[in-house]
Amino acid sequence: MVQSLNQFIQKWMPVLTPLSLVIGVLLEKIGTHFLFLVPLLFAVMTFISSLNLKFRDIKVFKQYPKTILFMIAFLHILMPLWAFFLAELIFDDRLLTIGFLISVAVPTGVTSVIWVTISKGNLPLSLAIILIDTLLAPILMPLILHLVVGESISLNTPALIFDLIWMIVLPSIVGILVNEWTKGKLFEQYGKPMSLISKICLFGIIMINSSAIAPYVKTIDLELVKVIAVVLFLAVSGYVFSLLLGRLFWKSEADQATFVFNGGMRNIAVGVVIATTYFPSKVAMPVVFGMLFQQVLASIFYKIIQKNSATE
C-alpha cells in the first residue's frame, strides 16, 4: 500500500503541488498557526534525502574541481544576477526582488538525483555537487542576501545562518552518518515509506507557507499574473542556460545531463522557510510559486535531452 501510494503521489506531483498551495490559501487562518512546524518538517525532509549521500562523495571534487566550482558559480552568482536583473526590470518592488533572488539562491535540489539517474547522467558528480552545495548554503545564502538586501530591510544574519545549519547542514550530516553506519541498509529497507514521509512533509510545507501569502494571491490581478509568468520564465531560463553551457563546456552527455538537472532544480522548500521567517510575507510569493514548475520542467528537459541524444 505504501509503495502504491508513493508511486501515485510521484506520478501526480505536478497536480498535487499546486493543489497544496490552493488548500493552504483557502485554509489561511488555520495554516498560519502551524508556521512553527515548517523548519522541523524541512529538517525531516533533509535527513531523509541525505540517507543516499556518503562522505566520500566529497572526494569526487578531486576528479571534477572545475565542473563543481563552475556549477556553484552558476547557482549562486549567475542565476541570482539574472533573477535580480529580471525582477528589477519588471517590478518596482524590492520585496519581490528579494523573493526572486531567494528562489534561485537556494542550494541545488536533492531530487535532481532522480532525473540524473534516469537520464544516465554522472551520478557521483551530481551527489558531490549536492553535498558540497548543501554544506556551503549557510555561507552563500546569507552572503547573497546581505549584498542585495543591504540596509533596505533588516536581516538577522546570525539567526539565518543558524537556521540554515539546523535545517540543512545538521540533518544532512546526521543522514550521512546513519547511511555510513547502516551501510545503506536503512534506506534500502525503509526507503519507500521514508520517501512517502518526505513528500507529505513537502506538501505540509507548501500548504502552511501558502497560507502566509494568501492575502496576495486571493485576488488575481496583473501583478500576480506577472509574478507567476516571471517565475516560470526564470525557471525555464535556468534549464536552458544549463543545457547550453553544458553542451558548450562538456563533451560527455552524462556530464551535460548532470549539469542540466543540478543547474535547473532548486531546494525551493528551504527558500520558502527563509522567506516566510525573515521577511514580509510578500517575499514568499515568487518562492512558493517556484515549486509549481520544478517537476514538470524536469520531465520536459529530460525528453529534450533524450531527443538530442537520439539525433546525434
Side-chain angles (χ1 to χ4, degrees):
M1 186 182 72
V2 170
Q3 183 176 355
S4 299
L5 183 58
N6 196 33
Q7 289 175 344
F8 173 82
I9 292 176
Q10 184 68 41
K11 179 181 179 181
W12 292 99
M13 279 288 282
V15 176
L16 294 174
T17 302
L19 182 61
S20 299
L21 191 149
V22 172
I23 292 172
V25 171
L26 294 176
L27 301 178
E28 173 190 357
K29 293 182 180 179
I30 299 175
T32 51
H33 294 294
F34 294 95
L35 283 169
F36 70 95
L37 287 176
V38 173
L40 179 60
L41 293 174
F42 188 82
V44 172
M45 278 180 55
T46 306
F47 168 76
I48 294 173
S49 300
S50 301
L51 288 173
N52 281 320
L53 301 176
K54 297 178 181 178
F55 284 115
R56 67 169 176 262
D57 291 332
I58 297 179
K59 294 181 181 179
V60 177
F61 182 81
K62 294 180 180 179
Q63 294 177 256
Y64 306 96
K66 293 181 180 178
T67 302
I68 294 174
L69 288 174
F70 186 76
M71 172 57 75
I72 291 173
F74 175 80
L75 290 169
H76 300 291
I77 298 177
L78 297 180
M79 285 306 296
L81 285 174
W82 175 233
F84 180 80
F85 170 76
L86 286 177
E88 287 288 292
L89 180 67
I90 298 172
F91 302 97
D92 184 22
D93 192 324
R94 179 45 63 96
L95 294 180
L96 289 177
T97 297
I98 295 170
F100 281 107
L101 192 71
I102 291 174
S103 70
V104 297
V106 292
T108 184
V110 177
T111 52
S112 58
V113 168
I114 299 171
W115 294 101
V116 169
T117 301
I118 65 175
S119 62
K120 298 179 181 179
N122 189 333
L123 186 58
L125 174 60
S126 179
L127 290 171
I129 291 170
I130 291 170
L131 182 55
I132 293 171
D133 195 34
T134 297
L135 295 177
L136 288 175
I139 299 172
L140 296 177
M141 274 201 72
L143 178 62
I144 294 169
L145 290 174
H146 182 74
L147 290 174
V148 174
V149 173
E151 300 298 325
S152 59
I153 295 178
S154 178
L155 177 62
N156 190 341
T157 305
L160 173 59
I161 294 172
F162 176 81
D163 275 353
L164 286 169
I165 292 173
W166 189 86
M167 289 190 300
I168 301 179
V169 177
L170 288 182
S172 296
I173 292 175
V174 173
I176 295 169
L177 288 173
V178 170
N179 187 35
E180 298 275 10
W181 181 50
T182 62
K183 297 181 180 179
K185 292 181 180 179
L186 181 67
F187 196 79
E188 287 179 12
Q189 293 180 358
Y190 303 103
K192 289 182 175 62
M194 285 186 173
S195 180
L196 179 59
I197 291 171
S198 182
K199 291 181 178 68
I200 293 172
C201 287
L202 176 61
F203 294 140
I205 290 171
I206 296 172
M207 282 189 280
I208 293 171
N209 282 307
S210 59
S211 66
I213 65 167
Y216 299 101
V217 299
K218 281 185 174 180
T219 303
I220 300 177
D221 54 15
L222 181 59
E223 182 180 66
L224 179 62
V225 173
K226 284 167 63 178
V227 168
I228 296 175
V230 175
V231 166
L232 176 59
F233 180 75
L234 191 60
V236 172
S237 63
Y239 276 100
V240 171
F241 292 157
S242 299
L243 183 63
L244 295 176
L245 290 171
R247 286 182 161 274
L248 180 64
F249 292 109
W250 291 278
K251 294 181 180 179
S252 167
E253 291 185 359
D255 290 350
Q256 291 175 14
T258 302
F259 197 87
V260 168
F261 292 112
N262 281 115
M265 303 196 79
R266 292 292 188 281
N267 199 343
I268 296 182
V270 70
V272 175
V273 177
I274 297 303
T276 54
T277 303
Y278 291 95
F279 297 96
S281 54
K282 191 174 186 179
V283 172
M285 280 179 63
V287 193
V288 172
F289 287 129
M291 290 181 166
L292 301 179
F293 309 114
Q294 280 229 105
Q295 299 301 324
V296 175
L297 289 177
S299 62
I300 291 172
F301 277 85
Y302 166 70
K303 292 176 182 177
I304 292 173
I305 291 172
Q306 292 297 102
K307 186 176 181 180
N308 289 339
S309 298
T311 55
E312 290 179 357

